[in-house]
Amino acid sequence: MKNHFITIAAAVLISTAPYAFAASSTDLTVNGTITPLACSPTLSNSGLVNYGKISRQDLSVNKRTRLRDQTLDLNIQCNAPARFALMMHDNRDGSAVVNSEIYYGLNHDGSGNKVGLYSLNFDPATTVVDDLPQVFRTDSTTGGIAWSSSNSRSIPIGARSYLGFTDVAGSNAGPIAIQSLTSRVILETVISPSSELDLSTDVQLDGSATLDVVYL
C-alpha cells in the first residue's frame, strides 16, 4: 500500500508545476486516401531495349559516345478518368556518369567504372489522350503543389519531378483527368569514353528503371 501512495504523490507534484518541464510526448498524424482508380502503364517489347554487341572501335576514346536513339510505345489505361503524373525510379541509382534526375545509370564494369547513362524522353506531339485534339505536358518539382506552364516541348521523365498532361496550353492548373494515354517515348543512351572503361572483358549495358504512375 505504501508504494501506491508514493506514486500518486509524485504525479500530483509534477502536475502542479506546468512550466518546470518540457513536454515528454508528441503527436503523429497519418493521412491518405484509398482510391478506386487504377491505371496500368505498359511499354512495348516489355520495356526491353537491346543494343546488341558494340565494338570498342565504335566508341570514342576520349569522349562519350551517343548510341542511336530507340523508341518505345507507352500505353496507360485507367479504369476511370484519373489525374496522374509520371516519375521514374532508377534501379541502378548512382551509376549514371552525370548526376541529374533525368539521367539513369547503366551500372558498372568489372573494375567499378560507370558504363554510361540514358534518358527517356516524352514528346507531346506523339501523344494521344482520350479523344482530345492535342496534348501538352506540364511538370512539377514540388510534389504537385505547383505546376509549370504547360507546353508542347519534349521533356525527359525525371526521378524527382512529376510529369503530367493537359489539353490546355499555357496552363498552370496541373494535369487533367485521363482514362487512356498512348505515346511514343525516345530512349537516348550515352556510353563512357573507352579510356575510362575496363575493356579487358565484355562490359554489359545493365540499365534498369521503374516507371511509376502517381495519383494526384
Side-chain angles (χ1 to χ4, degrees), residues 7 12 16 41 49 59 88 113 121 123 151 160 180 205-206 210 215-216:
T7 301
V12 171
T16 57
V49 174
L59 301 179
M88 201 153 75
N113 303 305
N121 298 275
D123 187 354
N151 60 77
R160 297 185 297 275
S180 174
L205 306 190
D206 183 28
T210 302
Y215 299 99
L216 304 174

Short mmCIF file of all heavy atoms in Angstrom, two decimals, residues 7 12 16 41 49 59 88 113 121 123 151 160 180 205-206 210 215-216:
data_model
loop_
_atom_site.label_atom_id
_atom_site.label_comp_id
_atom_site.label_asym_id
_atom_site.label_seq_id
_atom_site.Cartn_x
_atom_site.Cartn_y
_atom_site.Cartn_z
N THR A 7 3.52 6.85 -5.49
CA THR A 7 3.34 7.09 -6.92
C THR A 7 2.34 8.19 -7.18
O THR A 7 2.56 9.10 -7.99
CB THR A 7 2.88 5.80 -7.62
OG1 THR A 7 3.84 4.77 -7.41
CG2 THR A 7 2.71 6.02 -9.13
N VAL A 12 1.05 14.16 -8.59
CA VAL A 12 0.44 15.43 -8.18
C VAL A 12 1.49 16.54 -8.20
O VAL A 12 1.25 17.64 -8.67
CB VAL A 12 -0.19 15.29 -6.78
CG1 VAL A 12 -0.61 16.65 -6.26
CG2 VAL A 12 -1.37 14.35 -6.82
N THR A 16 1.36 20.05 -10.73
CA THR A 16 1.21 21.38 -10.17
C THR A 16 2.34 22.31 -10.57
O THR A 16 2.37 23.45 -10.17
CB THR A 16 1.17 21.29 -8.63
OG1 THR A 16 2.36 20.65 -8.18
CG2 THR A 16 -0.05 20.52 -8.16
N PRO A 41 0.34 1.15 -66.57
CA PRO A 41 1.25 1.53 -67.65
C PRO A 41 1.95 0.32 -68.25
O PRO A 41 2.31 -0.62 -67.53
CB PRO A 41 2.26 2.44 -66.93
CG PRO A 41 2.32 1.87 -65.54
CD PRO A 41 0.95 1.30 -65.24
N VAL A 49 15.10 -2.80 -74.23
CA VAL A 49 15.87 -2.22 -75.33
C VAL A 49 17.22 -2.92 -75.35
O VAL A 49 17.97 -2.88 -74.37
CB VAL A 49 16.07 -0.71 -75.16
CG1 VAL A 49 17.00 -0.16 -76.24
CG2 VAL A 49 14.73 0.01 -75.19
N LEU A 59 33.44 3.12 -80.14
CA LEU A 59 33.41 4.06 -79.02
C LEU A 59 34.53 5.08 -79.16
O LEU A 59 35.65 4.74 -79.57
CB LEU A 59 33.54 3.33 -77.68
CG LEU A 59 32.49 2.27 -77.36
CD1 LEU A 59 32.79 1.62 -76.02
CD2 LEU A 59 31.09 2.87 -77.36
N MET A 88 10.09 8.33 -62.73
CA MET A 88 10.85 7.12 -62.99
C MET A 88 11.89 6.92 -61.89
O MET A 88 12.57 7.87 -61.48
CB MET A 88 11.52 7.17 -64.37
CG MET A 88 11.88 5.79 -64.89
SD MET A 88 11.94 5.68 -66.70
CE MET A 88 13.47 6.51 -67.06
N ASN A 113 33.94 1.01 -62.90
CA ASN A 113 33.74 2.24 -63.66
C ASN A 113 32.30 2.36 -64.14
O ASN A 113 31.67 1.37 -64.51
CB ASN A 113 34.68 2.26 -64.87
CG ASN A 113 36.13 2.11 -64.49
OD1 ASN A 113 36.65 2.88 -63.69
ND2 ASN A 113 36.80 1.11 -65.06
N ASN A 121 12.60 10.15 -73.03
CA ASN A 121 12.04 11.45 -73.39
C ASN A 121 10.61 11.34 -73.89
O ASN A 121 10.29 10.53 -74.77
CB ASN A 121 12.92 12.10 -74.46
CG ASN A 121 14.32 12.35 -73.95
OD1 ASN A 121 14.59 13.35 -73.31
ND2 ASN A 121 15.23 11.40 -74.21
N ASP A 123 7.38 13.15 -75.72
CA ASP A 123 7.08 14.18 -76.70
C ASP A 123 5.57 14.33 -76.84
O ASP A 123 4.89 13.39 -77.28
CB ASP A 123 7.69 13.81 -78.05
CG ASP A 123 7.56 14.93 -79.08
OD1 ASP A 123 6.91 15.94 -78.78
OD2 ASP A 123 8.12 14.78 -80.18
N ASN A 151 3.13 23.17 -72.09
CA ASN A 151 3.62 23.48 -73.44
C ASN A 151 3.79 22.18 -74.22
O ASN A 151 3.56 21.09 -73.70
CB ASN A 151 4.93 24.26 -73.36
CG ASN A 151 6.02 23.49 -72.65
OD1 ASN A 151 6.61 22.57 -73.21
ND2 ASN A 151 6.28 23.85 -71.38
N ARG A 160 12.64 12.91 -59.76
CA ARG A 160 12.14 13.70 -58.63
C ARG A 160 11.08 14.71 -59.04
O ARG A 160 10.57 15.44 -58.19
CB ARG A 160 13.31 14.42 -57.95
CG ARG A 160 14.34 13.49 -57.33
CD ARG A 160 15.42 14.24 -56.58
NE ARG A 160 16.21 15.11 -57.44
CZ ARG A 160 17.25 14.70 -58.14
NH1 ARG A 160 17.63 13.43 -58.09
NH2 ARG A 160 17.93 15.54 -58.89
N SER A 180 -7.22 7.17 -70.99
CA SER A 180 -6.36 6.42 -71.91
C SER A 180 -5.29 7.34 -72.49
O SER A 180 -5.60 8.45 -72.96
CB SER A 180 -7.20 5.81 -73.04
OG SER A 180 -6.37 5.20 -74.01
N LEU A 205 25.75 -3.49 -70.78
CA LEU A 205 24.87 -2.36 -70.54
C LEU A 205 23.73 -2.88 -69.67
O LEU A 205 22.93 -3.69 -70.11
CB LEU A 205 24.32 -1.79 -71.84
CG LEU A 205 25.32 -1.39 -72.93
CD1 LEU A 205 24.60 -0.63 -74.04
CD2 LEU A 205 26.46 -0.58 -72.38
N ASP A 206 23.69 -2.43 -68.43
CA ASP A 206 22.78 -3.02 -67.45
C ASP A 206 21.91 -1.94 -66.81
O ASP A 206 21.97 -1.70 -65.61
CB ASP A 206 23.60 -3.77 -66.39
CG ASP A 206 22.72 -4.48 -65.37
OD1 ASP A 206 21.59 -4.86 -65.72
OD2 ASP A 206 23.16 -4.63 -64.22
N THR A 210 12.14 1.88 -63.15
CA THR A 210 10.73 1.60 -62.97
C THR A 210 9.94 2.86 -63.22
O THR A 210 10.19 3.90 -62.59
CB THR A 210 10.45 1.09 -61.55
OG1 THR A 210 11.22 -0.10 -61.31
CG2 THR A 210 8.97 0.77 -61.35
N TYR A 215 -0.80 9.08 -58.44
CA TYR A 215 -2.17 9.59 -58.45
C TYR A 215 -2.23 10.92 -57.72
O TYR A 215 -1.66 11.08 -56.65
CB TYR A 215 -3.13 8.59 -57.81
CG TYR A 215 -3.14 7.26 -58.55
CD1 TYR A 215 -2.38 6.17 -58.09
CD2 TYR A 215 -3.89 7.09 -59.71
CE1 TYR A 215 -2.39 4.97 -58.77
CE2 TYR A 215 -3.90 5.89 -60.39
CZ TYR A 215 -3.15 4.85 -59.93
OH TYR A 215 -3.14 3.65 -60.61
N LEU A 216 -2.94 11.88 -58.28
CA LEU A 216 -2.99 13.24 -57.74
C LEU A 216 -4.34 13.54 -57.11
O LEU A 216 -5.32 12.88 -57.40
CB LEU A 216 -2.71 14.23 -58.88
CG LEU A 216 -1.39 14.03 -59.63
CD1 LEU A 216 -1.31 14.97 -60.82
CD2 LEU A 216 -0.20 14.25 -58.69
#
